[in-house]
Amino acid sequence: TLSLLVRMIFVLGRPQIPVMWDARIYASAALGIIEYLGADGKFGHPEQIPAEDSVGQKIKFEYSVAEHISGEQIEWLYYSKPTVAQAQEYIFISGPVYPVLLAVILGQDIFPDFDLGRFFNAIIDSLSVALLMLIAYRLFGRREALAAGVIYIFYLPFILQCGMISPDPLTIFLVLLVLGLILEYHEKEKNHYLILGGAVLGLLVLTRPTAT
C-alpha cells in the first residue's frame, strides 16, 4: 500500500533517531527478558544483589548486549548501563508487550535488530491506516475515509515514529482496533466483539501503561 511504501522509503532512505532515551529502556528490558528465560526463573530484585556482585551483573548485561544485538547499538549518552536485574525491572516502566516483541527480534540473526524493529513499526502503522479508513467509512462515508487515510499517511509525526524504537505505532493500532470492535458490536450486537475488545484493551494497557 501507499502507506507502507512511504514508511519504508523513510526508514530505509535516511538515518534514523539513535536507540537512546526511552528506546534504551525498551531494548534493555528485552535483553532482561532474554536473560530471564535462561536464568532458571530468576527475575529482577536488584536490591537483593550484594554490592560485590553488581559489577558481575553489569558485565553480564554487556555480554548480553554483545551477544544479542547486531548492527546498530544502544546509545547510552550520560546514563549508566544497568545490571541484568535492573534491566529486567525496566519492564515495570515500559510494560511487557513491546519488550517481548523486541526480545523476539533480538533473538533472530537474519536482519540487523533495530532495523527490523523499525520495519515492524512501518507495517503496524500501515495497518493502522487501513483500520482508520474502515472506521471513518462506517461512521462518515467514503470521501471522509479517503481524506482520513491521506492525512494519516502523510502526517509527519506518524512517519517519524516508525523510525523510532517505540511502542507508539502499536499503541495507535490497538486503540483503533478497539474502536473497530466496538463498531462491530454496535452493528451486529454479538457479545464476542465486546470480549475481544476487552482483551485488546488489556493488551493496550500492557503495551503503554503510562501516558508519556
Side-chain angles (χ1 to χ4, degrees), residues 7 10-12 14-24 26-27 72 98 102 105 113-125 156-170 208 212:
R7 279 147 180 77
F10 170 76
V11 168
L12 294 172
R14 67 178 303 277
Q16 299 300 320
I17 296 174
V19 183
M20 56 186 182
W21 296 320
D22 286 358
R24 70 181 170 85
Y26 304 130
E72 181 183 357
Y98 195 66
L102 278 181
I105 290 172
D113 295 307
F114 295 128
D115 287 345
L116 187 58
R118 294 182 177 103
F119 297 158
F120 172 81
N121 282 350
I123 294 170
I124 288 294
D125 207 45
L156 185 58
F158 290 159
I159 297 174
L160 291 175
Q161 72 183 6
C162 291
M164 303 168 63
I165 300 303
S166 167
D168 288 347
L170 181 59
R208 176 63 85 176
T212 58

Side-chain angles (χ1 to χ4, degrees), residues 136-211:
Y137 177 76
R138 289 184 171 184
L139 292 176
F140 306 108
R142 184 172 182 271
R143 184 168 54 184
E144 290 79 5
L146 288 173
V150 170
I151 291 171
Y152 193 111
I153 288 170
F154 295 105
Y155 185 55
L156 185 58
F158 290 159
I159 297 174
L160 291 175
Q161 72 183 6
C162 291
M164 303 168 63
I165 300 303
S166 167
D168 288 347
L170 181 59
T171 301
I172 293 170
F173 173 77
L174 292 175
V175 170
L176 291 171
L177 183 57
V178 170
L179 290 175
L181 289 169
I182 290 172
L183 284 176
E184 287 287 340
Y185 172 75
H186 179 72
E187 292 178 1
K188 299 178 181 178
E189 296 186 352
K190 293 185 177 180
N191 288 336
H192 66 268
Y193 289 115
L194 284 182
I195 295 171
L196 287 173
V200 175
L201 276 176
L203 196 62
L204 176 61
V205 171
L206 295 176
T207 302
R208 176 63 85 176
T210 62

